[in-house]
Amino acid sequence: MTIHNRLITYIGILAIALTPFAAQALDAPALYHERTCIACHGANGREPVMDEYPKLAGQPEQYLLTQMKDIKSGSRSNAHSMAMKNVMHLISDEEMSVLAEWLAKLPE
């Protein structure tokens, strides 16, 4: 193997190793816990800690995504969304999509 080929191989391996986490497949259940969704919406989005908080499991994917984006942008604002707004800055658009898709597929 020539030095040129070794260099190209090394650069390729390095590029794969340095791929950002966001480019890797996201694990929705892990995100749900890591982003503290479970704290208010309960295990698997079925058992909110307060009756006023919505059950998320089984809701339409686009509805869930729209609500998350609206809360993050501030266009949806009420007494209950304020707590969620405080954590939405930690959640990327890609993570919101992954969470919405997963939650929509869960049984109510």
Side-chain angles (χ1 to χ4, degrees):
M1 184 181 253
T2 68
I3 292 176
H4 184 262
N5 287 347
R6 278 192 235 155
L7 183 58
I8 290 172
T9 302
Y10 175 74
I11 291 171
I13 292 169
L14 186 60
I16 291 169
L18 296 177
T19 301
F21 172 74
Q24 298 174 9
L26 296 174
D27 179 24
L31 280 173
Y32 186 80
H33 286 80
E34 290 168 7
R35 300 298 186 250
T36 69
C37 308
I38 192 170
C40 295
H41 297 286
N44 294 319
R46 287 188 205 96
E47 301 161 4
V49 296
M50 294 177 58
D51 291 337
E52 294 83 18
Y53 293 157
K55 293 180 182 179
L56 303 178
Q59 294 284 344
E61 180 179 346
Q62 191 56 51
Y63 171 78
L64 292 166
L65 186 57
T66 299
Q67 298 308 308
M68 286 187 273
K69 287 183 176 184
D70 286 352
I71 290 170
K72 184 174 184 174
S73 73
S75 65
R76 178 177 179 206
S77 181
N78 61 36
H80 299 297
S81 65
M82 293 309 291
M84 193 166 161
K85 178 143 177 68
N86 290 329
V87 297
M88 288 307 296
H89 70 280
L90 301 172
I91 302 173
S92 71
D93 288 349
E94 183 182 12
E95 291 170 333
M96 282 189 254
S97 294
V98 168
L99 286 167
E101 179 182 1
W102 175 71
L103 287 164
K105 292 177 181 176
L106 293 176
E108 292 179 40

Coordinates of all heavy atoms in Angstrom, one line a residue, residues 1-16:
M1 N 0.8 -1.2 0.0 CA 0.0 0.0 0.0 C 0.9 1.2 0.0 O 1.8 1.4 0.8 CB -0.9 0.0 1.2 CG -1.9 1.1 1.3 SD -2.9 1.0 2.8 CE -4.5 0.5 2.1
T2 N 0.6 2.2 -0.9 CA 1.4 3.4 -1.0 C 1.1 4.3 0.1 O 0.1 4.2 0.8 CB 1.2 4.1 -2.3 OG1 -0.1 4.6 -2.4 CG2 1.4 3.1 -3.5
I3 N 2.0 5.3 0.4 CA 1.8 6.3 1.4 C 0.5 7.1 1.1 O -0.3 7.3 2.0 CB 3.0 7.2 1.5 CG1 4.2 6.5 2.1 CG2 2.6 8.5 2.3 CD1 5.4 7.3 2.1
H4 N 0.3 7.3 -0.2 CA -1.0 8.0 -0.6 C -2.2 7.3 -0.2 O -3.2 7.8 0.3 CB -0.9 8.3 -2.1 CG -2.0 9.1 -2.6 ND1 -3.1 8.5 -3.2 CD2 -2.3 10.4 -2.7 CE1 -4.0 9.4 -3.6 NE2 -3.5 10.6 -3.3
N5 N -2.2 6.0 -0.5 CA -3.4 5.1 -0.2 C -3.6 5.0 1.3 O -4.7 5.0 1.8 CB -3.2 3.7 -0.8 CG -3.4 3.8 -2.3 OD1 -3.9 4.7 -2.9 ND2 -3.0 2.7 -2.9
R6 N -2.5 4.9 2.1 CA -2.6 4.9 3.5 C -3.1 6.1 4.1 O -3.9 6.1 5.0 CB -1.2 4.6 4.1 CG -0.8 3.1 4.1 CD 0.4 2.9 5.0 NE 1.4 2.2 4.1 CZ 2.7 2.3 4.3 NH1 3.2 2.9 5.3 NH2 3.5 1.6 3.5
L7 N -2.7 7.3 3.5 CA -3.2 8.6 4.0 C -4.7 8.7 3.7 O -5.5 9.1 4.6 CB -2.4 9.7 3.3 CG -2.8 11.1 3.7 CD1 -2.6 11.3 5.2 CD2 -2.0 12.1 2.9
I8 N -5.1 8.3 2.5 CA -6.6 8.3 2.2 C -7.4 7.4 3.2 O -8.4 7.8 3.7 CB -6.8 7.9 0.7 CG1 -6.3 9.1 -0.2 CG2 -8.3 7.7 0.5 CD1 -6.3 8.7 -1.6
T9 N -6.9 6.2 3.4 CA -7.5 5.3 4.3 C -7.6 5.9 5.7 O -8.6 5.9 6.4 CB -6.8 4.0 4.4 OG1 -6.7 3.4 3.1 CG2 -7.4 3.0 5.3
Y10 N -6.5 6.5 6.2 CA -6.4 7.1 7.5 C -7.4 8.2 7.6 O -8.2 8.3 8.6 CB -5.0 7.6 7.8 CG -4.9 8.3 9.1 CD1 -5.0 7.6 10.4 CD2 -4.8 9.7 9.2 CE1 -4.9 8.3 11.6 CE2 -4.7 10.4 10.4 CZ -4.8 9.7 11.6 OH -4.7 10.4 12.7
I11 N -7.5 9.1 6.6 CA -8.4 10.2 6.6 C -9.9 9.7 6.7 O -10.7 10.2 7.4 CB -8.2 11.1 5.4 CG1 -6.9 11.9 5.6 CG2 -9.3 12.1 5.3 CD1 -6.4 12.6 4.4
G12 N -10.2 8.6 5.9 CA -11.5 8.1 5.9 C -11.9 7.5 7.3 O -13.0 7.8 7.8
I13 N -11.0 6.8 7.9 CA -11.3 6.3 9.3 C -11.4 7.4 10.3 O -12.3 7.4 11.1 CB -10.1 5.3 9.7 CG1 -10.2 4.1 8.8 CG2 -10.2 5.0 11.2 CD1 -8.9 3.2 9.0
L14 N -10.6 8.4 10.2 CA -10.7 9.6 11.1 C -12.0 10.3 10.9 O -12.7 10.7 11.9 CB -9.5 10.5 10.8 CG -9.4 11.7 11.8 CD1 -9.2 11.2 13.2 CD2 -8.2 12.6 11.4
A15 N -12.5 10.4 9.7 CA -13.8 11.1 9.4 C -14.9 10.3 10.0 O -15.8 10.9 10.6 CB -14.0 11.3 7.9
I16 N -14.9 9.0 9.9 CA -15.9 8.2 10.5 C -15.9 8.3 12.0 O -16.9 8.5 12.7 CB -15.8 6.7 10.1 CG1 -16.1 6.6 8.6 CG2 -16.7 5.8 10.9 CD1 -15.8 5.3 8.0

